[in-house]
Amino acid sequence: MKKIFLLIFTLSGFLQVNAQSGLYQTAIEKDIDEAYELFHKNQYSAAKYEFEYLKEKDLSPSQRVEVDFYHALAALRIENPDGPGLMEKIRVNYPDDPKSNQASLLLGDYYFDQRHYKTALKHYGQFNTNVALAEQKAELWFKMGYAYFKLGDYTNARRYFDPVKKIPSPLIADGYYYSGFSALKLENYQIAIQDFKQADRYPSYQSKVPYMLSEAYYRQQQYEELIQYVTPILKSRSALDQKEEIYLLLAEAYFEKRDFTQAANYYDASSKSGNGNLSREQKYKAGVAQFKVDNPQKATNYFKEVALEKDRLGQVSSYYLGHSYLKLNNDQFALTSFNTAYKGDFDPEIKSEALYNFAKINLEKGSFKEAVNALDTYLDRFPQGAQVQQVENLLSDALINTNNYLRAIQHIEQMGQKSNRIKAAYQKVSFYQGITYFRNKRYKEAIIYFDKSLSYPIDQDIVSQAHFWKGETYMADENPNPAIRSYEQVVQMGTRAEPETLLKTHYGLGYAYFNTQQYHKAATQFKAYTDKLRGAREQAHYEDALIRLGDSYYVQKKFENALQAYRNAIQLRRSFSDYAHYMAGVALNFQNRNQEAIAQLDQVIDGFPNSPYRDDVIFKKAQINMEESDYSKAREGFSLLIQERPNSPYVPYALESRAIANYSLQNYKSTISDYKKILDSYPNAENVDAALVGLQEALSLEGRSGEFSEYLASYKNANPGNESLQNIEYEAAKNLFFSQSYQEAIKAFKGYLKSYPNSSHNQEAQYFIGDAYYRLEQYDKALEAFYELEDKGASSQKAKAISKIAELEFKNKNYLKAVPYYLSSSKNARDRIEEFEAFNGLMESYYQIGRFDSAIYFADKVIQMGDITANATSKGYLVKAKSFLEKGETTKAQDELMALLNQSESVEGAEGLYLLAKTFHESGNYKQSNETIFDFSDRYAVHDYWYGRCFILLGKNYLELKENFQAKATLESIIENSENQEVVEEAQKVLESI
């Protein structure tokens, strides 16, 4: 409303011009006239000053009224604080003078302009309208109506606006408009419509009326009239107030008429016109309209804002949001939306439908754990739900494919009648749970679940696999006899067994027989395995099986068969070629084909300088030369072994054999030197007796027999007492150890060492002490015992002690200390398991001390060896990737992490997924980070910590992508479902930041 400054009565009309011009003016009259002049020139401050001066003069009654009035009016004009009070005095002091009536009007205008509407109304009410003209009354009533309007008293407002409409004046249009506005406020919509139509005839209100009239039609639910009225106006009038609101009213009208196409168009128009003040209900309707006309992308823009609140509207919006995302092929966002809709408790039908859709999508995308939980919940919460039959069918499918095997097993076990389809699901998930326990080295639990699987022998392929993995589990638990029985079940199935499982069974059963010294049966299984793999494209363990086949024949003294197996292995030119050459040489030696034997052994010496069997080979070749009486070559061989491998357990025997070779070459001084070396450096070696006898003979030949008494005394000191009693005590201590009475075994071995400090068994006894402490988890004492053994001479026990020292220093996080011991173990490893443990320890240790290039080098070694132990390859890929990340080589790290994800479902894979997604997050590729999590996360759902971390990262990605609804829903889901407290706390922290 514009301020109306028009003075209702012209001041000149109120004045009685008493001033006389010229000679007839008195001095007072002249001063009054000058004050009037200042006032009419709008010099109100000066006029106020002059009138204030005149108030002190001797004035006539009429002059005093005039002076007081204009003094007060000048004060009002300059908004002087005393202005209203001075004007009030006019009314008090001159109640019968016309100026008193004028004062009421002027005070009303003053307070009206100040927006003090209550005070204005008070003064307007004291004005006598009988003396006013019609147009002046119209202005007064309009102002009073407007004051009531602003005070929210629409009834009184209309009472004053109504007469304004009937008086021809410039305010007639205002009267109609504000009368209609007041009627609208009073919900007198028909009257409002009539008044607005009248106001619309005046150009000054043609920009304002269309919105107001549309609002009146809408509130009257006259949707068709609204559309017919305002649609042409939108085309004909360019400048309209609140145009975006008109669009919104049209959208709402079309929505009520279920014309969703037009509703969607006008909601769009309203948004594009800059309307950012849609209510939540209007945003919901806009979303529905877009959804109905198959504009799912636009629908999501509305629904996701409404869905942020936890009320019925939010629940229904989340449900529609889920369907919108399905239309956009955005399953993950759909899942989050349906899950949020299910959590709402405001609409039971929406709740059940949302849960059904949540379960169905999870099943379709392979998230079987979530699908099973949701379907199970549906049957529990909505036993009479509309989708019960479909849910039961879906549940059977989900149970078969879930990776939350324990939950599935529990669910099925609680069922009453089980169909064959459910039994088949139970057989499968129990089998998979057994595999999970096997991989986690929980062998007893694995056996239980393989037996559960076998309780429903529906699928014969799974039956054969369950028997096979029972065998593998027993073997891993070092229990070969029940392993044999399980493997034999597969063999007995014959053609009913799954072919690949039967093939692997031959290999596992071969080892079980081999380890129980049933070599004839072992050979049968290894031969069956190798015969089936010969010429095959994939030859897993083929070389190893050939080697073990050769060993089985060798132990049975079937040397020609053994030779053929070893030669077949050699032809493969793979990792066991050195061992195959070595054993071929040994077999040829037994056939007295010594030159051929030497040729095989030379293949190892010349072609495999780092072979773990090098000392065996050198020693064997030297022995063959001794058999051939080629003492010079034999001596060279034994010397090579002593020089190259000073810590080899063969050294005492190499010294003895070299002494014999020198003796045969009549080099008695060297013979004496080697025998003395044995007696001085290896007093507890098994060949000390032979060395003592040989020394006596060699000294005699050299005429130095007197020296022998010194060594004889040392020998007696090292072997006091009754040898039979020593052996009895030692065997008793060993029996305690092998019966797992470790504390008693430690006491017995320590007593033995105290009684027989120079016994030939003291190194082995010391190792047993360390190992017993290790098994009791008294690692500090174990480490102390192994360190004591390290200080002694070379022996097989010393080599094992070094391996244990490495392991224990690693366990104590003394990674730098562990490294040299792992390196020593890697050089002296006797088999692939020992070699793997050394490489794995070096990989982990180098990573921990920040030597990432070395960690990568040994990670490659671990990966090349394959899965020697469960998930060995996965650990290699993970450490290699983490090392590249530490070096800042993100692309290389991502390649290794992808290789890990493509081959592993282990906990290492779960961590790898988090790290890969995190690299994309940190580089700002939030969508790629999310897609990576979606593509791979299902297989890692059982690893709660890393699975949870991945979805927290997902929430963070959503925040960066401005998808707050998705972020909030994802984090809330983590908080509700994760069993890991650390994950829950981190999710809560991120949620609180939204």
Side-chain angles (χ1 to χ4, degrees), residues 430-439 442-443 446-451 453-454 461-477 482-483 486-487 489-490 498 500-501 504-505 508 541 867 870:
S430 297
F431 169 71
Y432 286 149
Q433 184 58 45
I435 294 292
T436 300
Y437 279 134
F438 172 81
R439 287 175 176 166
R442 295 171 62 177
Y443 302 124
I447 296 297
I448 291 170
Y449 280 87
F450 289 137
D451 285 337
S453 177
L454 290 167
D461 285 351
I462 295 179
V463 170
S464 63
Q465 290 183 60
H467 283 305
F468 167 74
W469 283 104
K470 270 186 74 176
E472 292 286 285
T473 305
Y474 279 126
M475 285 295 290
D477 203 26
S486 294
Y487 287 135
Q489 290 289 326
V490 183
E498 198 270 327
E500 185 179 350
T501 301
K504 292 189 292 185
T505 298
H541 307 303
D867 280 332

Side-chain angles (χ1 to χ4, degrees), residues 351-580:
K351 186 179 183 73
S352 64
E353 284 295 315
L355 182 58
Y356 171 72
N357 282 284
F358 177 78
K360 188 178 178 183
I361 298 169
N362 271 307
L363 189 58
E364 289 170 353
K365 69 190 292 286
S367 299
F368 301 110
K369 173 187 173 183
E370 288 80 2
V372 168
N373 288 339
L375 293 166
D376 197 23
T377 302
Y378 187 99
L379 293 175
D380 182 53
R381 297 287 301 276
F382 309 108
Q384 306 301 320
Q387 310 291 350
V388 166
Q389 187 58 54
Q390 294 91 321
V391 167
E392 288 177 347
N393 294 335
L394 292 174
L395 181 59
S396 64
D397 292 337
L399 287 169
I400 292 171
N401 294 289
T402 183
N403 55 9
N404 187 353
Y405 310 127
L406 287 173
R407 180 71 187 86
I409 291 165
Q410 180 186 19
H411 180 84
I412 296 172
E413 287 178 345
Q414 290 172 351
M415 285 182 169
Q417 294 294 323
K418 301 178 182 66
S419 66
N420 283 339
R421 188 172 183 180
I422 293 296
K423 289 177 181 178
Y426 184 82
Q427 178 193 21
K428 189 172 185 179
V429 294
S430 297
F431 169 71
Y432 286 149
Q433 184 58 45
I435 294 292
T436 300
Y437 279 134
F438 172 81
R439 287 175 176 166
N440 292 332
K441 300 182 180 180
R442 295 171 62 177
Y443 302 124
K444 289 181 175 57
E445 291 97 328
I447 296 297
I448 291 170
Y449 280 87
F450 289 137
D451 285 337
K452 283 178 180 281
S453 177
L454 290 167
S455 67
Y456 290 121
I458 307 295
D459 187 327
Q460 290 299 298
D461 285 351
I462 295 179
V463 170
S464 63
Q465 290 183 60
H467 283 305
F468 167 74
W469 283 104
K470 270 186 74 176
E472 292 286 285
T473 305
Y474 279 126
M475 285 295 290
D477 203 26
E478 299 180 1
N479 202 350
N481 289 319
I484 289 171
R485 291 193 291 272
S486 294
Y487 287 135
E488 286 176 341
Q489 290 289 326
V490 183
V491 175
Q492 289 169 14
M493 290 179 70
T495 56
R496 289 182 298 120
E498 198 270 327
E500 185 179 350
T501 301
L502 180 59
L503 179 65
K504 292 189 292 185
T505 298
H506 288 311
Y507 181 71
L509 185 54
Y511 259 108
Y513 283 137
F514 189 90
N515 290 347
T516 54
Q517 301 180 11
Q518 300 181 62
Y519 299 113
H520 173 72
K521 291 182 177 179
T524 301
Q525 296 303 318
F526 284 129
K527 189 171 189 309
Y529 183 80
T530 54
D531 285 350
K532 290 180 178 179
L533 275 184
R534 187 178 297 116
R537 196 168 185 178
E538 295 293 331
Q539 293 186 324
H541 307 303
Y542 179 59
E543 182 192 23
D544 183 64
L546 284 172
I547 295 293
R548 293 289 85 83
L549 177 60
D551 291 346
S552 300
Y553 284 136
Y554 170 77
V555 174
Q556 297 177 74
K557 298 185 179 179
K558 296 179 179 180
F559 299 119
E560 199 57 43
N561 289 341
L563 272 173
Q564 186 57 51
Y566 294 137
R567 284 170 179 158
N568 288 340
I570 290 167
Q571 288 173 3
L572 296 174
R573 299 179 182 275
R574 295 181 188 167
S575 54
F576 289 121
S577 295
D578 53 345
Y579 180 81

Side-chain angles (χ1 to χ4, degrees), residues 128-144:
N128 180 7
T129 58
N130 293 327
V131 300
L133 300 174
E135 188 173 321
Q136 295 162 347
K137 290 177 183 178
E139 181 177 349
L140 173 65
W141 289 332
F142 178 80
K143 285 184 175 182
M144 292 182 76

Side-chain angles (χ1 to χ4, degrees), residues 6 133-142 163-176 202:
L6 176 65
L133 300 174
E135 188 173 321
Q136 295 162 347
K137 290 177 183 178
E139 181 177 349
L140 173 65
W141 289 332
F142 178 80
V164 176
K165 297 185 295 184
K166 300 170 183 175
I167 300 173
S169 77
L171 294 172
I172 191 168
D174 302 292
Y176 277 117
Y202 298 93

Side-chain angles (χ1 to χ4, degrees), residues 197-237:
K197 283 183 176 180
Q198 291 298 320
D200 198 31
R201 295 186 295 112
Y202 298 93
S204 59
Y205 280 100
Q206 286 180 347
S207 63
K208 294 180 172 62
V209 166
Y211 166 69
M212 302 302 294
L213 189 50
S214 298
E215 177 81 10
Y217 280 131
Y218 180 78
R219 294 193 186 184
Q220 278 278 79
Q221 299 182 8
Q222 294 178 321
Y223 306 123
E224 188 61 39
E225 288 83 349
L226 186 160
I227 293 166
Q228 290 179 1
Y229 161 70
V230 83
T231 303
I233 288 178
L234 285 170
K235 296 176 182 177
S236 61
R237 299 183 192 176

